Structure formats: structure tokens, C-alpha cells
Amino acid sequence: MRNYKVILVNLNSLPNLGFSPVFPVGANYVFSLLSEMGAEVDFIDFVQHPDLLETLDFLEKEFDCIAFSIRNLDSMELDGEYLVDYYLKITTLIIEQGRQQNPDVKILLGGSAFTAYPKGFAEVFPFDAAIDSDTEERLFQFIAGHIEEMQNDQLAGISSACPERFAFEIKYEPELVRAYLAIGAKQIGIPTRCGGRCPMQCIYCSYGLLDQNTHYTRPLNLLRNEIIQLYQIGVRELFFTDSLINISPEHARNLCLLLIELNLPELEWTAYARPTRNEEFLRLAALSGCKTLSVSFDTFSPAMLTNLKKGFSVHTISRFITLCAQYKVNLVGLLLFGGPGETELTIKETCEFANRFLEPGQLFFSFGIRISPGSGLEMLLGQVGNELLIPHFLGFDERIFDFVLTHLDGRFISMNLLLKISKWRAAYKAMSCKQTTHPQLSMVCPEC
């Protein structure tokens, strides 16, 4: 008897993606989940084993399924490189050679990029099944169904019941972790509660529509074991991969208390957070080794906060920034210029607030909002079709680039940033207009 065998390929470990590889949190979760089910998994990561991309030696073993995980299609920026053709070239090569070895192999596709663009992927990618939500249940059903379909007396079944969501320990292979540490990816991710799920309704984001189950939390005893496991491997900076670490104040509090109790020397953590007036959270964050809280403010204009449906006010933002300074929690604020209704006045309000409350190193910004399937922005604009693998951006007044440079304090503008803005502007100019059903909004798209 042998176990069901899966080759799990992390496509976001390919070279020349145009952005720095990050530790494959989602693919590693699936690796751990498959192992928990009783499957045998060969985890292929090209950061760890770059030679495998040329040799494809991993296809010379026995296997039943090849699973591809895709985290990013592009950098989401105006001048981003779009990777669909690159991914398709590599997956086709692996599938063709894999089917020479095993003509009956099943091809499985998943990852956050597929979850966001399922219709577009279905049109261009060759796969037999896909996981776009409810990962645990769908993966369990797929493997159980495939085993039954094969009718192989020599093949052992998987676990009799699907593992409970987030209720098992995630495995971190030391060699894989160290491979990412070696390339400078110091932050190793741990999902502490509900991964990418988010209850907020930001107009450009589709996470809340894809999966609104935000109440799942991972048991603290499992988090304790995983933190210690990573620390022993040599990790000194954790990234808690919740969409927002403080969605649940109680869980955030318990996590901070766990880290304080562990008291591991030099261990720091970072996370995305929602601006809050909860002073206890920031006090405990500081005591537990919080290195940075990243916050997608997007704007400091009251009108634009409403347009973007951010769900918090300028008053809450200013109180949050004050508390971060009080407890010496480093803050990184993210701004997004060019949303619906953006004008010189709203940009002036945002820039004047940033000039007053933030310092260099605390402010990062970009221009243009990528239109995601299922987002409130897509609904506002009207259906744009299934071609969303080709990026569409919300159109905006090109003078917005100049408005920002006019009103933002010069201490935030470096030479490198000016060069980046020049690239964004050039990319925006090269885009062509697309029609929309909204009388006051437009879309732009690269010529592909």
C-alpha cells in the first residue's frame, strides 16, 4: 500500500517575477494540510531548489496529482509586469512532461491569484480541478474523489474526515525557511486567525466578498508551537498574515500576551492593522516585540474615506498615530491616490495631514486602483467581462501626479521616488480607455 502522492509547485518562487519572492505562506499551509490528510507531498520551490526549473527531476518520481499554487499575477502597480504568459509557459512544460510519466495525472490549481480571478484562469490555464475557497473541504473532496476514481487497490485512503479549519499545526521545513532567509526575506509568515479573509468593505477589494467567514481563529497552543519552531530554525522576525491583525481585539490581545510570555530574545513581529483607539492593543503590541504595523489608510481626506468605504474616520486615524508614537510602535502608512472622486482638494487634504502627522519612512504611496473581480468598484463601473487577467485600472485625472508633488512635503520625496513616479506616469499614459456604464468614471487598461 502506498499514500496518495502530490507534487505541489509554488509558482511564485520562479525567477524574474519583477518583485521579491516572499515565503510561500499559502502553499506551505496546503503542504501541511495535505500531510495532515495522509497524502505524501513533494513541495517544489525554486528559491530552495533553482536547478529543478531546468531539470524537472521532480517529475521522475511516482505521483498522482500536480498542484500549482499562484499567489500573485503582478505587482498591482501601474507599471507592473503581468505574469500570466510566464506562468502558462512553465505550467504547460511541467504538465506535458508530467503526463508523459503518468497519463492519468490530475492537474490542480489554487492560490490567492486564482481565487481572485477564477473566470480568467479558467479561460487560459489547463487544469482538472481548482480550489478557489473553502480550501480544506474542497481539497479533501478532490483527493477522496480521485482515489475512488482510480480504483487502485494498492493506494491507501486519506483521513476519514476533513481536518478542521486551522486546527492543525503548520509544518515549516527548516531548509525551505533558511532558503528564504538567505535571499533576504527575513519575515516568515504565520496565519494567526483567518488568512486573507476580511470583514471590511473597501471599494477596491474583493477579499470580503470572496469569503466573509472572519471568525476563525487558530488555537494559541498551535501558534506557540509554530513560533518556537521558527525561532529554533533561526527566524527572528514573524509576519502575522491576517488581513488585519486587530479585527478581533481579543485574539490580538491573546497573541500579544503569548509573545510576552514566551519572551524569546530578539524576536519581532509585523502585521497589517486597522487604525484603532484601543490603547491596550498598542501597549501590548509594543511589549510583545511589534516591529511595525502597516496600515492601508489610502487617504486622509474625509470625502475620500467615504468614497473608498474605509470604515474609519480622520479622527480615529489621528488618535491611532498618536498612540503609536506614545508606545513607540513603528507605523507605516499606505496611501492610494486616484480613487473615485479624487480631486486636487482631496489630495491637498491628504498631503497636509501626512505633512503634519507622519515622518519619512512612515509613508508609502502609489497611484491608480486595480479593479478586482467582485469588488465594489467593479460593480460600480459595471461588468468589465472575464478578461480581468488583463489588468484594468480606474481612470483618473493625470494631473494627480502633479497635485501630489505640489502638496506633499519635500522630505517625503526622494530621487528614487521621483523616478518611480515617472514610471507610473509613463505607464498610465500608455494605457487605453475602456468604456464603463458609470457616467462619471472611466477605466484604463494596458494594450496586451
Side-chain angles (χ1 to χ4, degrees), residues 23 31 51 183 193 200 235 246 269 311 323 374 387-388 419:
F23 184 82
F31 164 71
D51 56 303
I183 64 168
R193 54 182 314 277
M200 297 181 69
V235 174
N246 57 338
W269 62 271
L323 288 172
E387 59 178 330
L388 280 170
L419 291 173

Side-chain angles (χ1 to χ4, degrees), residues 163-418:
E164 185 180 347
R165 187 176 295 195
F166 296 113
F168 58 90
E169 187 171 320
I170 297 175
K171 297 182 178 181
Y172 290 88
E173 295 294 327
E175 289 186 8
L176 179 63
V177 172
R178 292 186 183 117
Y180 277 84
L181 293 176
I183 64 168
K186 296 181 180 180
Q187 297 179 352
I188 304 299
I190 295 182
T192 68
R193 54 182 314 277
C194 47
R197 302 172 179 92
C198 180
M200 297 181 69
Q201 299 297 319
C202 302
I203 195 170
Y204 53 79
C205 184
S206 56
Y207 278 146
L209 297 173
L210 292 169
D211 191 339
Q212 298 182 16
N213 295 320
T214 62
H215 63 280
Y216 295 105
T217 57
R218 301 192 61 233
L220 289 175
N221 65 308
L222 297 182
L223 292 171
R224 173 193 293 272
N225 294 342
E226 291 159 8
I227 290 169
I228 292 173
Q229 179 188 166
L230 286 171
Y231 188 81
Q232 291 174 341
I233 293 172
V235 174
R236 293 297 179 268
E237 186 173 338
L238 304 173
F239 174 60
F240 294 128
T241 61
D242 300 4
S243 54
L244 297 169
I245 191 70
N246 57 338
I247 289 176
S248 167
E250 180 182 3
H251 193 63
R253 177 180 181 275
N254 290 337
L255 178 61
C256 291
L257 291 174
L258 170 62
L259 290 163
I260 292 169
E261 176 194 343
L262 288 173
N263 193 28
L264 297 172
E266 300 180 357
L267 185 67
E268 298 178 314
W269 62 271
T270 64
Y272 287 103
R274 178 180 180 174
T276 177
R277 303 179 197 181
N278 186 332
E279 186 169 348
E280 183 190 31
F281 165 64
L282 291 168
R283 180 180 66 84
L284 291 177
L287 291 173
S288 62
C290 178
K291 179 180 180 181
T292 301
L293 291 178
S294 296
V295 182
S296 292
F297 297 117
D298 294 343
T299 178
F300 298 129
S301 162
M304 288 303 296
L305 286 171
T306 299
N307 290 353
L308 295 173
K309 298 185 178 180
K310 294 301 296 182
F312 47 77
S313 67
V314 174
H315 181 69
T316 297
I317 293 172
S318 60
R319 176 61 177 159
F320 176 74
I321 293 174
T322 300
L323 288 172
C324 285
Q326 177 181 334
Y327 289 103
K328 296 182 173 55
V329 173
N330 187 43
L331 166 68
V332 169
L334 310 174
L335 298 180
L336 190 55
F337 294 111
E342 190 86 271
T343 65
E344 182 172 10
L345 175 60
T346 61
I347 286 178
K348 183 179 180 181
E349 289 174 331
T350 293
C351 292
E352 288 180 348
F353 185 98
N355 295 341
R356 178 182 175 189
F357 285 98
L358 298 177
E359 297 296 331
Q362 292 186 311
L363 181 64
F364 291 85
F365 59 86
S366 62
F367 295 81
I369 295 180
R370 175 82 177 265
I371 301 165
S372 299
S375 67
L377 187 55
E378 186 204 30
M379 296 176 186
L380 181 65
L381 291 166
Q383 290 298 318
V384 296
N386 296 337
E387 59 178 330
L388 280 170
L389 285 178
I390 300 171
H392 289 62
F393 289 84
L394 182 68
F396 58 86
D397 185 340
E398 191 184 325
R399 293 177 299 170
I400 281 175
F401 293 104
D402 298 314
F403 296 156
V404 172
L405 293 175
T406 297
H407 295 293
L408 191 62
D409 195 297
R411 71 185 194 278
F412 294 109
I413 309 296
S414 65
M415 184 58 67
N416 286 338
L417 182 56
L418 284 173

Side-chain angles (χ1 to χ4, degrees), residues 109 112-123 127 130 132 210 373 389:
L109 185 63
S112 57
F114 174 80
T115 302
Y117 302 95
K119 292 182 180 179
F121 271 96
E123 291 183 355
F127 58 85
D132 61 355
L210 292 169
L389 285 178

Side-chain angles (χ1 to χ4, degrees), residues 67-86:
F68 295 100
S69 174
I70 302 181
R71 180 180 183 271
N72 298 99
L73 280 181
D74 54 74
S75 64
M76 302 293 287
E77 296 182 343
L78 290 170
D79 64 337
E81 296 183 24
Y82 310 112
L83 303 170
V84 173
D85 289 343
Y86 184 29

